Amino acid sequence: MDNILNEPEAAYRKAIYTAAEYLAMEKESDTKHEFFQGEIFAMAGAGGKHNVISKNVLGELYISLKGKRCQPYGSDLRIHIPQNTLYTYPDISIFCGDFISSQEDDDTMILPVVLIEILSPSTKNYDRGGKFKLYRDIPSLKEYILIDSESVNIEVFGINTGGHWELEEYKKLADHLILPSVDVTIPVHDVYNGTHLTD
């Protein structure tokens, strides 16, 4: 497990927890935690630029997807990956069709189509490495987007026709972030609007 979750620190010191114990503790907690293979990990808080970018992207997605079968959700929505046991809170997730909850918890969802993480110095290695490895176990996932909060840099990993993940990068404010799976295009300038990165 250390090779996968090497960024977050264990939040509790019990040797191992059940998913039911984690979910019960999470309902009483003021902070968010991840669960993986019996261990519970504290999630890092979000900084100012992170929150601005999250607001911008959620707003653009809400406008673009209003009235359509795919809908965006923010970081309060917990997802579960039954294939590897992970419970976590992506910064932004998009679900299409029926909203399917986890068998273990009605407030936890499964089968997102798009996941977006906003990178910070403390989480970028985990989001690019171990977390992406776990996310790839989601059978419905079509795109995984990493948005840097310290520079204009967006990485979009998408599944090609051969079933392999391919990378598309956006590094200019004049670029347009394209999400083919949900037919959405967002100007990169609008992603970073309100941060010093557009000056």
Side-chain angles (χ1 to χ4, degrees):
M1 185 205 69
D2 291 339
N3 293 330
I4 297 178
L5 290 184
N6 54 5
E7 286 272 340
E9 295 183 6
Y12 303 100
R13 296 304 173 190
K14 180 182 172 182
I16 195 163
Y17 294 85
T18 66
E21 288 174 322
Y22 158 74
L23 291 166
M25 294 167 68
E26 199 69 350
K27 289 182 189 301
E28 302 298 323
S29 177
D30 293 329
T31 58
K32 298 172 187 172
H33 300 84
E34 291 188 336
F35 174 90
F36 180 68
Q37 294 187 350
E39 293 190 75
I40 297 174
F41 302 86
M43 297 187 71
K49 290 193 290 289
H50 182 290
N51 284 311
V52 170
I53 292 168
S54 179
K55 170 187 66 72
N56 290 344
V57 176
L58 262 176
E60 293 291 331
L61 289 171
Y62 174 78
I63 293 169
S64 297
L65 295 173
K66 186 176 181 180
K68 299 182 180 179
R69 66 183 298 271
C70 299
Q71 292 297 305
Y73 299 88
S75 61
D76 285 335
L77 181 64
R78 183 173 55 236
I79 70 162
H80 178 214
I81 307 174
Q83 291 81 358
N84 58 40
T85 78
L86 180 69
Y87 286 83
T88 190
Y89 300 82
D91 289 320
I92 298 171
S93 53
I94 301 176
F95 290 80
C96 299
D98 293 334
F99 213 41
I100 304 173
S101 61
S102 167
Q103 291 183 351
E104 287 76 17
D105 180 61
D106 288 341
D107 294 327
T108 303
M109 302 304 150
I110 62 172
L111 301 177
V113 173
V114 177
L115 291 175
I116 301 173
E117 297 287 5
I118 300 165
L119 303 179
S120 63
S122 64
T123 64
K124 62 183 180 181
N125 291 336
Y126 172 48
D127 287 338
R128 280 198 178 102
K131 200 166 202 178
F132 186 26
K133 183 177 181 180
L134 295 172
Y135 281 167
R136 290 199 298 269
D137 286 337
I138 301 172
S140 58
L141 190 65
K142 303 300 182 189
E143 286 155 352
Y144 180 49
I145 296 97
L146 298 171
I147 302 175
D148 196 342
S149 64
E150 301 298 315
S151 65
V152 177
N153 188 17
I154 301 175
E155 300 163 89
V156 178
F157 293 90
I159 296 182
N160 63 22
T161 54
H164 302 289
W165 290 91
E166 290 185 342
L167 171 63
E168 183 82 22
E169 291 188 89
Y170 302 89
K171 297 186 176 182
K172 298 177 182 178
L173 290 172
D175 287 342
H176 286 73
L177 169 62
I178 300 172
L179 307 181
S181 67
V182 291
D183 193 24
V184 169
T185 299
I186 303 173
V188 171
H189 184 280
D190 291 352
V191 171
Y192 289 99
N193 188 37
T195 72
H196 73 278
L197 298 171
T198 59
D199 297 340

